[in-house]
Amino acid sequence: MPSQITSPIGIFDSGVGGISVLRAMRQQMPNESVIYFGDQGHIPYGPRPMEQIRSFSEAITNFLLEQNAKIIVVACNTASAAALKYLREKFPDAQFVGMEPAVKPAAEHTQTGKVGVLATPATFQGALYASVVERFANGVELFQSTCPGLVQQIEQGNLDGEETRKILKDALQPMLEKNIDTVVLGCTHYPFVIPLIQQIVGDNVQVIDPAPAVAKQAKRLLEAGGMGNQSTSKGEVKFYTSGDPDVLKSMLLMLLGEGGEVEKVNWLNDLYIEQ
Ligand code: DGL
């Protein structure tokens, strides 16, 4: 069935990270229905080979298109780094919104000329990051950290425990010593720990969450294609996970501020997702 204006927006991430983007989408487009895919059976993506992330992203895109998604939001910096270009070539009729670390607004904002970037190893290794730095860093010095273990802590709902605090301190303290005044969140999991990050870096450092800009871009794309849902009633959000549906369900209120139906899906040989 071809997608229609009442069809859902498809969105995916390796886990709960993309919910930070979904949250912004719910604020900006509450009338749109959404299907969210969290590949929690494969999390984390960050340390995985690019090829494997590409293959997961392709199967998830197929799954979302089969659920009639009218656009696909790749709410994961890592999957965007590894697969966005490939997905656009592989699915020329589909429309994608992807993510890249917000180096551009950070370079425009910084006064000290020093910016911290937090993202996964795959994101830093990808051509997308290299191109963003080349185009937008403009002489600004970037300090990078992969925050090992942070994604897993956030997946467990540990948003301000000792371990999470330690990982963030280890990442941010050396950057503060270099006089950064801006931090880019280059992983969609990290907006959930903004209060903790802000506590560590203080009020004089600006933390950039790209989620509102990504949601805005998705809205713009829908409107430009005449695909925006004009309904005045609230759209539904349906979740699919390759992990434990009860765990995801129990975290929704905390992460999104609303609940939703969660369905378990299974991978076949890591290549296909069972419908
Ligand atoms: N949320 C993903 C991102 O934006 C990464 C998490 C992972 O390593 O799986 O990069």
Side-chain angles (χ1 to χ4, degrees), residues 131-265:
S131 132
V132 164
V133 171
E134 194 187 302
R135 282 180 292 146
F136 305 124
N138 254 334
V140 166
E141 207 175 340
L142 301 172
F143 298 93
Q144 292 144 12
S145 173
T146 59
C147 301
L150 185 56
V151 165
Q152 290 91 327
Q153 292 297 326
I154 294 169
E155 279 292 313
Q156 289 162 26
N158 185 4
L159 304 187
D160 66 358
E162 260 328 291
E163 187 53 32
T164 307
R165 187 178 294 266
K166 182 177 179 324
I167 295 169
L168 283 168
K169 264 194 179 157
D170 288 350
L172 294 164
Q173 205 61 50
M175 296 181 180
L176 289 170
E177 282 160 21
K178 300 285 187 190
N179 204 23
I180 59 155
D181 63 356
T182 312
V183 174
V184 173
L185 303 184
C187 169
T188 52
H189 279 74
Y190 300 169
F192 295 120
V193 290
I194 286 177
L196 191 49
I197 294 175
Q198 206 74 66
Q199 258 179 42
I200 295 168
V201 298
D203 290 342
N204 293 333
V205 173
Q206 188 183 4
V207 179
I208 301 184
D209 172 8
V214 176
K216 201 165 158 195
Q217 174 62 13
K219 190 171 183 206
R220 211 179 288 140
L221 194 69
L222 286 176
E223 283 167 0
M227 288 185 289
N229 192 340
Q230 306 304 322
S231 157
T232 48
S233 52
K234 200 162 182 197
E236 279 177 13
V237 188
K238 171 145 194 205
F239 295 85
Y240 294 92
T241 178
S242 55
D244 184 336
D246 293 333
V247 171
L248 179 56
K249 204 172 173 64
S250 71
M251 290 176 74
L252 290 179
L253 222 48
M254 173 173 75
L255 300 178
L256 184 62
E258 62 179 307
E261 193 191 326
V262 184
E263 200 172 306
K264 163 89 176 162
V265 289

Side-chain angles (χ1 to χ4, degrees), residues 21-100:
V21 177
L22 174 60
R23 191 170 56 179
M25 283 168 41
R26 294 297 277 167
Q27 277 158 12
Q28 295 182 29
M29 312 175 258
N31 50 337
E32 295 289 349
S33 293
V34 181
I35 41 177
Y36 183 97
F37 189 102
D39 193 10
Q40 294 177 296
H42 286 137
I43 197 158
Y45 275 11
R48 290 179 182 273
M50 293 291 196
E51 222 168 84
Q52 192 180 40
I53 302 167
R54 213 171 290 141
S55 161
F56 293 159
S57 301
E58 180 178 349
I60 295 168
T61 298
N62 265 320
F63 177 85
L64 293 172
L65 291 175
E66 274 157 20
Q67 315 298 313
N68 212 19
K70 57 183 173 183
I71 60 166
I72 309 279
V73 179
V74 184
C76 176
N77 290 78
T78 307
S80 295
L84 189 58
K85 192 165 169 278
Y86 173 80
L87 293 175
R88 287 191 165 128
E89 284 164 12
K90 190 87 195 174
F91 301 93
D93 296 334
Q95 302 211 56
F96 293 90
V97 177
M99 307 201 58
E100 60 184 28

